[in-house]
Amino acid sequence: MKRTLTALLATIPLALTTVACNVDGGGGDGGDDAESAGKHGPITIWYSNNTEEVAWGKDMVAKWNGAHPDEKVTAQEIPAGKTAEEAIGASITAGTAPCLVFNTAPAAVPQFQKQGGLVPLDDFPDGAKYIEDRTGENAAQYKSPDGKYYQLPWKSNPVVIFYNKKAFAKAGVDAENPPLSTYDEFLDTARKVVKSNAAQYAIWPAPSSEFFQSWFDFYPLFAAETDGKLLVEDGKSTFAGDEGKKVTAFWQTIYKEGLAGKEKYNGDAFADGKAAMAIVGPWAIPVYKGKVEWGSAPVPTSQGKDAGEIHTFSDAKNVAMYSACKNRATAWDLMKFATSEEQDGALLEATGQMPLRTGLQDVYPDYFEKNPAYKEFADLTARTVEVPNVPNSIAIWQAVRDAYSNSVIFGKSDPDQAMQDAATKVDQLAGQS
Amino acid sequence: MPRKVHPLRILALAVGALIFLFPFYYMLIGSLQSEPDSSPAGALPNPGNLTGGNYADIDERIDLGTTLVNSGIFTGGVLLGTVVFGVLAGYALARLHFRGRSLLFNLMLLVQVIPFQLLTIPLYVLIVRTYGLGDSYLGMILPFAINSTAVFVFRQYFLQLPRELFEAAQVDGASELAILFRIALPLVKPALLTAVLLTFIGPWNEFLWPFLITKQADMQPLAVALANYMSNVAARATNPFGALLAGACVLAAPVIVLFVIFQRHFVATNLGSSVKG
Amino acid sequence: MLGRQPIGIAFVAPYAVFLAAVFAYPLGIAVYMSFYDWFFAAPGAVVDRPFVGFSNYVAVFSDPAVLRSFLNIAIFLVINVPLTVGLSLGLASALNAAIPLRTFFRVSFYVPYVTASVAVVGVWFFLFSSDGLVNEVLGDLAPDPSWLVNSTWAMPVIAVFVTWKQLGFFILLYLAALQNVPKELYESAAVDGASRLRSFWTVTVPGVRPATTLVVLLATITGANLFTEPYLLTNGGGPDGASASPVLVMYQRGIQQGQAGLAAAIGIVLVIGVLIISLINRKLLERD
């Protein structure tokens, strides 16, 4: 036994030395950045497997390939859920990432950037200008701390409150103009719904502790309450202040009075009629078709605000160029093509999600005439708040979620204290480089 | 003299079987429902609510045929590696004395203990970058090629065989390979079948690794396609839960069939008499 | 020099090469990583990964979330392992006899094991959600908040779920082992007037001792490395991290949050812990 143990221990330093010599050194080819930036040729792209986006994507690629037979694009689907970031991260490490991913979450960009996996679009002569021309002022939220753009803001899904008209009618609430703009009104409506058994819960945001869930309960209301503050600004957390306290107090009341479920629903609670309201963006509309007669309203604020002033969370997904890309000139051209006026319009038509382009309603008047319900979303795109582009952004959101879940959802601690503790942690994480 | 089977034993088994089967039964019913019915009453088949539509739904979105074939290739490769090389290794570890035997055994134990998630990324980089096996079936199979649990099981069952058997054969001058094939192997058939059935499950239900290795939809096994489906597309089907259960039933069916076929071989052998004789 | 039967080396060579190529190297990388502020980077990227000595390990032992996950897995093992051994041996013995509908019974116990967790979890939710079947039956005795979101009950529920799901595997192991317990032993015990229960204890249990060692070892190892079920059942660790397992935390920190060095340290600590427990188990059980 002793001999085996020694032998075992002896193999470890051997393995370590072999590792140390080889560990991710193998074949460094990052020095050809300048060369790649000018190259044209075939490229690979990934996009999400959302049905409508796939349809748009296939169409877009077909058009491009028809016009550019020497720069063929091969497209693959990847799942849009949480595993997408993990798959992308792994492919960066292995050097097998595609040129473009049309499903890059802004929250993952700091990490991918740290890995050396992203290409700054400022490398291209018209890079920054193209982005700022298309997206306007909002583009600033997508800049990295070093001032460069490592992502092209593509589309957003401004988060609003959807409500079930039938359920509201049953609860005796005005289904065309329900009182949902102040916290008090919202709570009142919610109580009526649950009391009258119009639905099991008034609203059912996912209560689970994944890092991104706060984007669909805490953050949209925080954005609205603060007129557009990000979670972290200038390296300091903002969410433990007075406005944040109001938001957590609101949600705490909702959970305390049983107006929202504490367990995750296996499916879409709003589509299945279990919850009378949902807090989500327009991508969900095709899911509700035929199942729920819905109306929408902006998220509530403590005192109520004009609909034209309310901010919300953007839930944006962007396009990023990855450093494994060899033919970057083609990739950049494709990025511009896919976000051109024509293609943005096609995206809008196919998916109902809002391209991050200024003046949507002026550029596509026909669409909004045909779909007046979407006007609200177009209007909101000018007032969306993004996740802060800071180091350790995922760990930051996890810390916030843990504090929120413990104190607000399960009532195990005082929300003000919990969020303050989280804020201290977040300050530390955001300060690391 | 046939032993009388105690009725209580049957009752206990029946209750147990019911508890075990209920979720699967519920899965089957759920996969055949046209509208999801999550109330307790929905557990009983309601003729008005039955449809094969969920199976069609999921087949439309993920090609059940191709993905099943991919699952078969992946699992088959693993089974081959495990049965061929695992049996050799298990036998040697159990009955042969050679230099480095304890070291290897302890290494095998160590490997068992390591959670796959700890190795996932380094393994991915190794297989894709260093070995260049991205987007290939071999790359999919490699980390699972020889199932250490199976080797463990083989070793354990070879250990259970009485020593006299081997001593008799060695006295007769048989080579080790011959002993393995002609004497030991036939006696551990249940263990072999067990190991095959157990090794089957891992790659058959694995969804993270093949997903990392290849994004090409026509190379992905069914488990991966199902996981992807659930994460995003499911919400579109008329009965998303039902469609998912339909896929899960399709995934589970071949394994159950295999088991039903093979479990007949778990029959008691008269081991004692073969030594005396 | 090479042992009495050097052909053994040839027999194990493919397996040994496999282990070296597929496990030893990544394991080495993981150990290496744990001593650095490590994160995975693109090939050729120039990044700064300072050596941090043991500070990742210190973090493992001082982070409350990580410590809680180790406690959780201990709770899990205490419930799962004895339950697994007892139930699987009992059921395997029962299924070994010539009972009517034997195939049906055997298949029914095996079925949960072969169904992908991803699908079975939905059914489990149906049973254990706050308006699920179990609570309907229990009525007022139902805990509030309901099972999976209750920080006391979440882990035990997972333990029961996993025991149920994996029982088929262990029943199979015991079934195979039971085939090698000679019939004569049972017959002679019966002749001596032993009751069924007594012959179970005096013939069956000692007769399958190697299998019992195997079952305990494997149950401990798979239990300690629990990932899929907490991941699926309580997405992200449950209320207050009450159902997070060490591997889940490792996954979150390493793959989601990019702190690969810390994740590696968690993994190494887990491996060492399990090795110690396994060695103790072996000493206690194996009198080979």
Side-chain angles (χ1 to χ4, degrees):
Chain A
M1 187 59 203
K2 199 165 163 201
R3 236 184 331 146
T4 358
L5 206 60
T6 350
L8 210 68
L9 289 174
T11 55
I12 295 190
L14 184 65
L16 284 181
T17 355
T18 338
V19 167
C21 294
N22 279 334
V23 89
D24 109 335
D29 46 24
D32 310 290
D33 277 350
E35 207 188 301
S36 304
K39 273 166 106 187
H40 290 265
I43 62 171
T44 319
I45 67 169
W46 286 354
Y47 47 59
S48 88
N49 68 348
N50 171 298
T51 320
E52 288 82 28
E53 283 175 49
V54 171
W56 169 84
K58 287 200 172 132
D59 219 49
M60 186 269 295
V61 169
K63 281 210 173 78
W64 171 274
N65 282 341
H68 302 88
D70 293 330
E71 300 173 81
K72 266 213 139 69
V73 171
T74 317
Q76 284 170 346
E77 284 178 35
I78 56 167
K82 46 193 158 174
T83 43
E85 275 76 55
E86 290 143 22
I88 298 174
S91 69
I92 289 178
T93 312
T96 56
C99 270
L100 300 174
V101 176
F102 280 78
N103 190 22
T104 308
V109 165
Q111 201 157 303
F112 295 157
Q113 186 187 339
K114 184 179 177 193
Q115 285 183 285
L118 297 177
V119 173
L121 299 173
D122 297 58
D123 277 0
F124 301 99
D126 56 342
K129 183 169 187 309
Y130 180 80
I131 292 176
E132 283 158 8
D133 279 347
R134 179 173 168 270
T135 310
E137 274 179 15
N138 245 353
Q141 294 188 59
Y142 297 97
K143 265 196 198 165
S144 288
D146 65 359
K148 293 193 184 163
Y149 290 104
Y150 286 83
Q151 55 188 319
L152 188 149
W154 181 34
K155 62 177 172 73
S156 80
N157 274 289
V159 173
V160 301
I161 304 281
F162 283 84
Y163 60 87
N164 185 330
K165 285 190 178 166
K166 277 216 189 92
F168 271 24
K170 183 168 176 204
V173 177
D174 178 356
E176 292 310 315
N177 270 317
L180 291 172
S181 64
T182 69
Y183 288 168
D184 288 332
E185 280 177 3
F186 193 99
L187 286 170
D188 239 10
T189 309
R191 289 175 190 126
K192 280 199 186 123
V193 163
V194 174
K195 222 191 227 171
S196 67
N197 252 320
Q200 190 182 357
Y201 291 109
I203 188 169
W204 203 339
S208 42
S209 347
E210 294 101 329
F211 70 89
F212 54 81
Q213 297 293 9
S214 293
W215 301 346
F216 303 101
D217 44 42
F218 176 79
Y219 205 42
L221 271 68
F222 179 75
E225 187 69 18
T226 59
D227 285 326
K229 268 202 204 148
L230 278 78
L231 193 82
V232 173
E233 282 184 348
D234 299 321
K236 288 258 169 274
S237 43
T238 58
F239 58 89
D242 284 335
E243 297 109 335
K245 288 187 185 162
K246 288 197 187 127
V247 175
T248 49
F250 167 76
W251 282 111
Q252 192 183 24
T253 316
I254 293 236
Y255 282 105
K256 254 203 210 142
E257 296 186 20
L259 303 170
K262 288 188 188 172
E263 294 169 301
K264 190 165 184 184
Y265 181 73
N266 206 13
D268 189 316
F270 184 70
D272 289 349
K274 298 272 190 279
M277 291 186 275
I279 174 165
V280 72
W283 70 265
I285 291 176
V287 178
Y288 303 150
K289 204 198 287 211
K291 293 190 184 170
V292 177
E293 210 189 309
W294 57 268
S296 66
V299 296
T301 52
S302 61
Q303 308 298 330
K305 289 186 195 181
D306 256 349
E309 287 172 12
I310 296 193
H311 289 71
T312 186
F313 174 58
S314 71
D315 196 16
K317 285 290 184 303
N318 300 335
V319 192
M321 190 186 303
Y322 290 79
S323 53
C325 188
K326 293 269 158 45
N327 299 315
R328 294 183 188 176
T330 305
W332 174 238
D333 288 339
L334 183 66
M335 275 171 114
K336 287 191 282 187
F337 175 72
T339 54
S340 62
E341 197 177 300
E342 187 198 335
Q343 283 303 324
D344 269 352
L347 180 71
L348 188 58
E349 287 272 357
T351 68
Q353 300 178 38
M354 301 290 126
L356 277 164
R357 173 183 280 273
T358 48
L360 276 174
Q361 297 191 62
D362 299 321
V363 180
Y364 306 106
D366 298 328
Y367 177 82
F368 290 102
E369 228 184 277
K370 260 192 288 163
N371 303 285
Y374 284 79
K375 279 198 189 147
E376 181 187 357
F377 301 113
D379 193 44
L380 272 172
T381 53
R383 296 186 306 279
T384 52
V385 165
E386 192 47 77
V387 296
N389 191 327
V390 290
N392 293 315
S393 79
I394 295 184
I396 286 176
W397 282 105
Q398 187 70 63
V400 169
R401 186 62 183 175
D402 289 340
Y404 179 88
S405 166
N406 192 330
S407 59
V408 173
I409 300 182
F410 292 104
K412 290 237 174 94
S413 53
D414 172 46
D416 293 348
Q417 185 59 48
M419 295 303 258
Q420 183 53 56
D421 291 339
T424 321
K425 204 167 176 197
V426 168
D427 284 342
Q428 190 215 9
L429 286 167
Q432 295 174 359
S433 61
Chain B
M1 182 191 101
R3 300 183 98 181
K4 275 257 207 77
V5 187
H6 207 283
L8 211 60
R9 181 189 261 207
I10 299 285
L11 189 63
L13 276 179
V15 169
L18 230 72
I19 296 178
F20 271 67
L21 273 186
F22 177 69
F24 190 71
Y25 161 79
Y26 186 72
M27 250 173 75
L28 210 58
I29 293 292
S31 74
L32 294 171
Q33 284 178 342
S34 52
E35 284 294 323
D37 184 355
S38 55
S39 68
L44 298 163
N46 174 2
N49 203 18
L50 292 181
T51 171
N54 290 320
Y55 287 89
D57 263 344
I58 195 157
D59 190 29
E60 182 189 312
R61 194 64 184 82
I62 60 184
D63 185 352
L64 285 177
T66 315
T67 49
L68 268 175
V69 168
N70 290 329
S71 294
I73 296 178
F74 179 32
T75 308
V78 172
L79 280 177
L80 200 64
T82 301
V83 168
V84 173
F85 300 116
V87 166
L88 283 174
Y91 180 72
L93 284 171
R95 303 235 78 108
L96 300 178
H97 296 273
F98 57 92
R99 176 125 174 191
R101 175 169 108 154
S102 329
L103 175 61
L104 187 65
F105 178 66
N106 288 314
L107 220 62
M108 180 180 78
L109 215 66
L110 183 67
V111 161
Q112 289 259 75
V113 174
I114 299 170
F116 191 64
Q117 288 77 11
L118 178 63
L119 303 176
T120 310
I121 303 288
L123 198 58
Y124 177 68
V125 174
L126 186 69
I127 292 195
V128 170
R129 251 205 267 168
T130 318
Y131 298 154
L133 289 172
D135 281 327
S136 72
Y137 285 113
L138 190 56
M140 236 192 266
I141 294 173
L142 202 54
F144 300 87
I146 306 177
N147 185 326
S148 292
T149 311
V151 176
F152 210 101
V153 169
F154 290 139
R155 173 184 178 272
Q156 214 68 13
Y157 290 122
F158 280 125
L159 274 179
Q160 255 186 293
L161 297 177
R163 203 175 259 179
E164 299 82 39
L165 221 59
F166 297 94
E167 284 168 4
Q170 277 167 347
V171 160
D172 285 347
S175 77
E176 288 303 337
L177 212 58
I179 298 182
L180 170 60
F181 276 110
R182 278 198 247 122
I183 299 178
L185 220 47
L187 288 173
V188 291
K189 249 208 270 187
L192 244 129
L193 287 173
T194 310
V196 165
L197 286 172
L198 302 177
T199 312
F200 197 93
I201 307 298
W204 190 259
N205 285 341
E206 173 67 29
F207 62 84
L208 187 58
W209 180 256
F211 170 63
L212 282 181
I213 278 288
T214 175
K215 301 288 167 304
Q216 293 178 33
D218 57 2
M219 275 185 81
Q220 302 209 330
L222 181 55
V224 178
L226 264 185
N228 294 350
Y229 180 82
M230 186 172 84
S231 78
N232 208 46
V233 192
R236 288 328 154 72
T238 351
N239 182 356
F241 195 47
L244 177 69
L245 292 181
C249 287
V250 172
L251 187 61
V255 194
I256 297 181
V257 165
L258 267 172
F259 179 68
V260 171
I261 296 176
F262 283 119
Q263 63 81 38
R264 271 186 288 125
H265 293 278
F266 289 134
V267 171
T269 53
N270 271 327
L271 196 56
S273 52
S274 61
V275 177
K276 277 188 253 154
Chain C
M1 231 287 286
L2 289 173
R4 276 190 282 137
Q5 287 138 327
I7 191 164
I9 299 184
F11 276 24
V12 298
Y15 181 56
V17 168
F18 168 76
L19 282 187
V22 169
F23 281 101
Y25 189 62
L27 182 63
I29 295 182
V31 173
Y32 185 78
M33 274 175 5
S34 66
F35 292 108
Y36 287 77
D37 177 11
W38 193 273
F39 57 94
F40 293 109
V46 177
V47 286
D48 187 32
R49 294 199 202 93
F51 177 75
V52 291
F54 281 99
S55 75
N56 280 328
Y57 289 94
V58 170
V60 168
F61 287 106
S62 56
D63 186 335
V66 176
L67 289 174
R68 177 74 209 239
S69 71
F70 279 105
L71 175 67
N72 291 339
I73 214 69
I75 297 175
F76 175 88
L77 287 174
V78 161
I79 298 178
N80 173 277
V81 177
L83 206 61
T84 299
V85 173
L87 279 180
S88 55
L89 182 53
L91 283 170
S93 311
L95 290 171
N96 199 27
I99 51 172
L101 295 179
R102 180 163 63 178
T103 307
F104 168 75
F105 281 122
R106 283 182 173 181
V107 171
S108 60
F109 289 112
Y110 185 61
V111 154
Y113 179 63
V114 303
T115 359
S117 270
V118 144
V120 188
V121 152
V123 176
W124 208 253
F125 275 132
F126 165 75
L127 291 172
F128 279 94
S129 60
S130 50
D131 54 351
L133 208 57
V134 173
N135 281 2
E136 301 265 336
V137 167
L138 284 180
D140 278 330
L141 291 174
D144 172 48
S146 170
W147 305 94
L148 286 168
V149 289
N150 183 319
S151 42
T152 334
W153 286 107
M155 208 60 193
V157 170
I158 294 185
V160 170
F161 175 77
V162 174
T163 308
W164 165 82
K165 188 159 195 306
Q166 290 185 345
L167 217 52
F169 174 93
F170 297 108
I171 292 179
L172 262 188
L173 285 183
Y174 270 130
L175 258 182
L178 283 172
Q179 309 313 315
N180 285 335
V181 178
K183 264 199 192 143
E184 292 92 30
L185 291 177
Y186 288 109
E187 279 159 18
S188 54
V191 159
D192 286 348
S195 72
R196 192 152 315 170
L197 195 59
R198 194 157 161 73
S199 67
F200 178 78
W201 281 111
T202 53
V203 178
T204 315
V205 172
V208 295
R209 175 165 254 131
T212 303
T213 318
L214 190 62
V215 167
V216 170
L217 267 175
L218 288 178
T220 310
I221 294 175
T222 25
N225 290 344
L226 197 67
F227 171 72
T228 318
E229 282 76 20
Y231 184 70
L232 292 175
L233 274 175
T234 56
N235 315 86
D240 216 7
S243 57
S245 66
V247 178
L248 183 63
V249 175
M250 188 179 83
Y251 183 79
Q252 278 180 336
R253 297 293 159 87
I255 297 187
Q256 279 183 359
Q257 295 176 18
Q259 299 170 21
L262 177 63
I266 298 178
I268 303 285
V269 169
L270 181 67
V271 166
I272 293 177
V274 175
L275 274 178
I276 295 176
I277 298 182
S278 308
L279 279 169
I280 296 177
N281 276 335
R282 256 186 84 197
K283 284 265 172 339
L284 289 177
L285 290 169
E286 208 175 67
R287 269 191 250 139
D288 204 337

